[in-house]
Amino acid sequence: MASSPPRPIVSIKGLEKTYASGHRALKGVDLEVHAGEIFALLGPNGAGKTTLIGIVCGLVRATAGTVIADGHDIAQDYRAARAKIGLVPQELATDMFETVWHAVNFSRGLFGKPRDHAKVEEVLRALSLWDKRNAKIGALSGGMKRRVLIAKALSHEPSILFLDEPTAGVDVELRRDMWDMVRRLREQGVTIILTTHYIEEAEEMADRIGVIDQGEIILIEEKHALMEKLGRTRITIGLKEPLAAIPPMLADERLALAGDGRTLVLTLMGEGEGAQGAADLIKRLGAEGIDFTTIDTVKSSLEDIFVDLVGKRP
Amino acid sequence: MNLHAVRAIYAFELGRTLRTLFQSIASPVISTSLYFIVFGSAIGSRMQTIDGVSYGAFIVPGLIMLALLTESISNASFGIYLPRFTGTIYELLSAPVSAIEALMGYVGAAATKSVILGLIILGTARLFVPFEIVHPVWAAAFLVLISVSFSLFGFILGLWADGFEKLQVVPIMIITPLTFLGGTFYSVSMLPPAWRTVTLFNPIVYLVNGFRWSFYGQSDIAVGFSLSMIGVFMAVCLGIVVWIFRTGWRLRS
Ligand SMILES: Nc1ncnc2c1ncn2[C@@H]1O[C@H](COP(=O)(O)OP(=O)(O)OP(=O)(O)O)[C@@H](O)[C@H]1O
Ligand SMILES: [Mg+2]
């Protein structure tokens, strides 16, 4: 798919943030987001995700470092940079007494775009908000309010969209809708950077994944490469008769005996070789005349990878 | 210049006023009417004229000023404090909007509202007492300048405040007393000399007198001086706002 080399659309170099409280929220972050991708930023609470997004979007001042968004330095050339960026913040902050229609048109104007009712209508329809256009935002449900925030962020047709935990507190159905919407946006060429606590979300959607912990990026990887590299498949085979030791014919460093010799556990690295590895083992067990009663295959999820990565750090 | 943004903010803020039209207009009109009934008609009928102007007419500029100052400050401060309080300020901060553009939108809307209110109170006053405006163009200029400078001041207040009490304290605890002591209901020349000197440190004296001069052609203080005081005040406020946006004080962490 990626035939031409990826074009960086957001380049972050040496980004530092120390809050007035003295807390060092970002410790020299370097990050490149590629044009047209969905980039998921994963990290535990307080890792610095919102701070990072805040700096790129102009809400937080960096202590040091540079950010280039779509070719424009966010400090020197803030107008051009910000005009390209849309932000859906983590906190639901809305004008309760405004109608959806007014609020979204206001956002478009604020970002320097001329009035265009057709465009705003298109955005509202895409988010299933058209029927609610004359409703006061305060009267909408939480999920609907979040859609309004997304509509506001999209009203000026940004090329980069930041979604800070877009599906926090959103029910399953709405979350699916949100994912669909994000994919549609990507098809239209919008680059999407999202943060999330739901690893299944990153697994489901992201092209690349960055993991941030205690203000440092500890990993940036293409999702499939990440799963390949760090994913594990564990095949557990329940034996009919206990074994004292692994027979020499089966000797394999990936194979272990557990449960009083009644269980064989094969741990395979990477995503691809799982099924093949299981089939091989079964064949060899048959050849050895070892009977078994159960076979269980468990693939580690991104969640396990993530817990592994962050958990190992001090 | 992001004129779309200026227009969006201006329209949004005026829209907020329109939603609360009744409170916005009714309460200042009612309180001003009460002043006219009490001071203008009831007490004023027993008062002698001041420099040839009937007492009722004499207090008109001061009363308009009182409403202008408190309304400009509270509208502008509320306009910017509310998004800070609710968190919707994130949108302004992430938008390609400069300090000057944000000011034009927020302060422009607050000042517009004050000017309209000033005109309504002027009309209301005319129902109670007859008067003529000697220098209408100057009166209009004072009206606009004062609305703008105190809306600017209110904007700063709205950025500085970290609670609703502070928003209310400044107009009530500072502006209202200064206006009352600033020659709204009397001529500074009526005071004993010592107090007259003290009064000259009250900046509102200059506003009230300048405005009154535009109505009746006479003033305790030279008009040029009044105008330059307003100019200085406006320049200081502007400087503070530009500094706030440049440093991100109270806006960006
Ligand atoms: N305005 C602030 N002043 C002082 N410290 C702050 C401020 N904002 C955030 N922090 C601190 O900086 C760190 C990073 O916060 P940040 O909000 O970026 O984390 P996060 O990764 O978004 O977390 P979450 O997943 O909970 O949203 C935290 O320790 C937080 O307490
Ligand atoms: Mg966060």
Side-chain angles (χ1 to χ4, degrees), chain A residues 30-214:
Chain A
D30 295 309
L31 177 64
E32 288 217 328
V33 178
H34 303 158
E37 75 175 342
I38 298 178
F39 186 88
L41 194 57
L42 282 174
N45 284 125
K49 304 181 293 294
T50 300
T51 303
L52 182 66
I53 290 181
I55 291 175
V56 179
C57 296
L59 310 184
V60 177
R61 297 176 151 255
T63 309
T66 56
V67 179
I68 310 287
D70 211 358
H72 307 284
D73 186 296
I74 57 149
Q76 257 106 61
D77 199 4
Y78 74 93
R79 273 183 201 277
R82 290 185 197 169
K84 301 283 185 179
I85 299 175
L87 165 66
V88 181
Q90 183 171 0
E91 310 289 339
L92 278 179
T94 52
D95 291 293
M96 295 299 169
F97 307 109
E98 277 305 325
T99 63
V100 173
W101 178 252
H102 273 135
V104 176
N105 275 289
F106 167 76
S107 302
R108 183 174 168 86
L110 197 62
F111 278 76
K113 285 281 163 81
R115 273 175 184 242
D116 185 344
H117 289 173
K119 181 69 210 171
V120 172
E121 176 173 346
E122 188 188 317
V123 170
L124 291 182
R125 283 192 188 278
L127 288 160
S128 317
L129 279 171
W130 183 244
D131 295 338
K132 303 273 183 196
R133 66 189 177 280
N134 293 320
K136 294 250 192 314
I137 297 175
L140 297 179
S141 70
M144 281 295 178
K145 283 194 188 110
R146 196 168 291 275
R147 285 181 198 220
V148 173
L149 290 188
I150 297 174
K152 280 162 85 67
L154 291 175
S155 64
H156 64 282
E157 303 156 68
S159 52
I160 307 166
L161 180 66
F162 284 91
L163 296 164
D164 199 352
E165 297 191 27
T167 51
V170 159
D171 70 18
V172 180
E173 191 186 344
L174 198 56
R175 198 181 305 169
R176 293 266 156 211
D177 282 2
M178 199 84 79
W179 293 352
D180 287 344
M181 185 212 73
V182 169
R183 283 198 200 92
R184 271 202 309 277
L185 284 172
R186 200 226 349 226
E187 276 158 28
Q188 291 162 21
V190 179
T191 305
I192 293 142
I193 296 139
L194 56 90
T195 71
T196 178
H197 284 150
Y198 299 111
I199 300 183
E200 51 166 319
E201 191 158 271
E203 204 162 350
E204 169 93 22
M205 316 231 312
D207 298 309
R208 288 195 311 144
I209 289 170
V211 178
I212 183 169
D213 186 34
Q214 297 171 36

Side-chain angles (χ1 to χ4, degrees), chain A residues 218-287:
Chain A
I218 55 178
L219 175 135
I220 300 173
E221 194 85 63
E222 218 219 307
K223 182 180 67 189
H224 295 298
L226 181 67
M227 303 294 285
E228 197 61 51
K229 199 155 87 186
L230 296 171
R232 281 171 184 65
T233 308
R234 175 173 296 169
I235 299 151
T236 312
I237 296 179
L239 302 174
K240 208 165 180 183
E241 301 295 331
L243 287 175
I246 295 172
M249 276 293 290
L250 292 178
D252 186 332
E253 74 225 7
R254 299 172 303 179
L255 196 59
L257 201 56
D260 302 332
R262 285 187 175 274
T263 318
L264 270 177
V265 180
L266 178 68
T267 308
L268 300 169
M269 303 296 286
E271 229 182 350
E273 54 174 331
Q276 190 56 45
D280 281 352
L281 180 61
I282 290 163
K283 241 185 251 163
R284 284 190 285 158
L285 285 175

Side-chain angles (χ1 to χ4, degrees), chain B residues 11-35:
Chain B
F12 192 87
E13 284 299 300
L14 275 191
R16 196 167 53 80
T17 305
L18 287 181
R19 273 204 309 267
T20 54
L21 193 63
F22 190 72
Q23 295 104 290
S24 309
I25 303 290
S27 75
V29 168
I30 290 172
S31 61
T32 314
S33 302
L34 289 175
Y35 280 121

Side-chain angles (χ1 to χ4, degrees), chain A residues 17 19 57-61 78-79 82-83 87 89 93-95 97-98 106-107 109-115 149 152, chain B residues 1-2 4-5 7-9 12 19 86-88 90-98 101 245-248 251-253:
Chain A
K17 175 64 191 180
Y19 279 107
C57 296
L59 310 184
V60 177
R61 297 176 151 255
Y78 74 93
R79 273 183 201 277
R82 290 185 197 169
L87 165 66
T94 52
D95 291 293
F97 307 109
E98 277 305 325
F106 167 76
S107 302
L110 197 62
F111 278 76
K113 285 281 163 81
R115 273 175 184 242
L149 290 188
K152 280 162 85 67
Chain B
M1 195 66 159
N2 185 349
H4 291 297
R7 193 179 107 157
I9 297 172
F12 192 87
R19 273 204 309 267
T86 60
T88 54
Y90 84 88
E91 202 175 18
L92 178 67
L93 296 179
S94 68
V97 175
S98 70
E101 290 151 5
F245 272 88
R246 200 160 284 161
T247 57
L251 284 173
R252 295 187 164 93
S253 42

Side-chain angles (χ1 to χ4, degrees), chain B residues 190-234:
Chain B
M190 291 157 82
L191 293 172
W195 282 107
R196 215 179 296 169
T197 315
V198 171
T199 299
L200 296 181
F201 289 98
N202 176 355
I204 290 177
V205 167
Y206 302 94
L207 308 184
V208 172
N209 277 283
F211 198 41
R212 188 177 290 136
W213 168 84
S214 69
F215 272 63
Y216 306 124
Q218 44 197 285
S219 161
D220 300 337
I221 285 142
V223 179
F225 196 63
S226 283
L227 270 179
S228 38
M229 287 296 282
I230 299 175
V232 168
F233 182 69
M234 192 138 108

